[in-house]
Amino acid sequence: MRNAGLLGCVVALLVVLLIVGGYYVSLRNRVVDLDQSVQEKWSEVETQYQRRYDLIPNLVQTVQGAANFEKSTLVEIANARASVGRAQVAAPNAPSDPAAMAQFSAAQSSLFESLRKLMVVVEAYPTLKSNENFLELQSQLEGTENRIQIARGRYNEAVKSYNSTILKFPASLLLSGYKPKNFFKATTPEATEAPKVQFDFGTTATAK
């Protein structure tokens, strides 16, 4: 009887270990999938911000063609773009590195504000407001801002799913080595705007 009881305890322990082990393997696999989703969504955020970054030189070149255009605004944009370029070096690490995320967010917000200022200044230059190349660039920028808002929202949703999974009990006990990912939080009103950007002229171009 004693041996039978001992055998029963061993079997029960093995069953518990199998259940816990199965849960752990399933949980680890889910976290890996969620982590990959965060990385994928962050790559899309970077892609859309890169698209805006790449549009700036053509925009500046077009605006420079206007006689007596306000040079300080162009200098501000050039400086903001340079700051973005420096922040992009560490951007791939931003989901796990708070400092990199803060730098990236601040640089992108600064460039956004510089572009918004540019579009206000353009009001004083009728030739630019009727320049087809400028209007096309404006449309592309507005479409890009839409994409940025969408990509950023999807990234934050992926982070929310990942963080919720690793922080909830009992997963938090088994996944103590996993750290929460960083949400993207813009440092200007850009963060709370609807997914559209109305730079000037009172109309919003459709996304391209």
Side-chain angles (χ1 to χ4, degrees):
M1 290 293 293
R2 184 175 181 180
N3 290 338
L6 181 61
L7 179 61
C9 290
V10 171
V11 171
L13 179 60
L14 289 175
V15 170
V16 170
L17 289 175
L18 286 173
I19 293 174
V20 173
Y23 171 75
Y24 178 72
V25 170
S26 176
L27 180 62
R28 279 289 300 270
N29 289 338
R30 172 168 169 72
V31 170
V32 168
D33 288 341
L34 291 173
D35 180 68
Q36 289 299 307
S37 178
V38 170
Q39 297 302 324
E40 177 187 355
K41 298 300 189 298
W42 179 249
S43 293
E44 181 61 22
V45 170
E46 288 186 281
T47 296
Q48 297 308 327
Y49 274 119
Q50 182 66 43
R51 188 171 187 268
R52 181 173 73 181
Y53 182 86
D54 292 340
L55 285 171
I56 304 302
N58 288 337
L59 179 67
V60 170
Q61 184 177 13
T62 300
V63 170
Q64 282 177 329
N68 301 316
F69 190 82
E70 185 177 307
K71 298 300 188 295
S72 62
T73 301
L74 299 181
V75 171
E76 183 178 328
I77 290 177
N79 290 337
R81 187 174 185 270
S83 178
V84 167
R86 291 190 294 271
Q88 286 174 330
V89 175
N93 301 322
S96 302
D97 184 344
M101 178 64 82
Q103 182 186 14
F104 184 82
S105 174
Q108 297 293 352
S109 294
S110 177
L111 182 56
F112 177 87
E113 289 302 318
S114 297
L115 288 170
R116 179 145 52 185
K117 180 179 178 181
L118 172 67
M119 296 305 177
V120 171
V121 172
V122 163
E123 283 290 320
Y125 297 85
T127 56
L128 278 176
K129 293 167 63 176
S130 60
N131 182 302
E132 290 186 6
N133 189 40
F134 175 81
L135 293 176
E136 174 63 20
L137 288 168
Q138 179 206 8
S139 179
Q140 290 185 43
L141 278 170
E142 290 175 345
T144 299
E145 293 301 333
N146 291 342
R147 292 185 179 90
I148 287 172
Q149 288 281 354
I150 293 170
R152 199 167 57 201
R154 289 172 177 170
Y155 165 76
N156 281 342
E157 283 297 319
V159 169
K160 180 181 178 181
S161 296
Y162 176 88
N163 288 352
S164 295
T165 299
I166 68 169
L167 294 176
K168 286 182 179 178
F169 182 86
S172 58
L173 297 179
L174 299 173
L175 301 173
S176 58
Y178 287 80
K179 303 301 180 183
K181 301 290 186 181
N182 300 309
F183 286 96
F184 187 100
K185 298 179 181 179
T187 58
T188 71
E190 174 195 5
T192 57
E193 292 177 355
K196 69 177 182 178
V197 176
Q198 197 166 353
F199 282 120
D200 61 341
F201 310 160
T203 59
T204 302
T206 56
K208 291 185 177 294

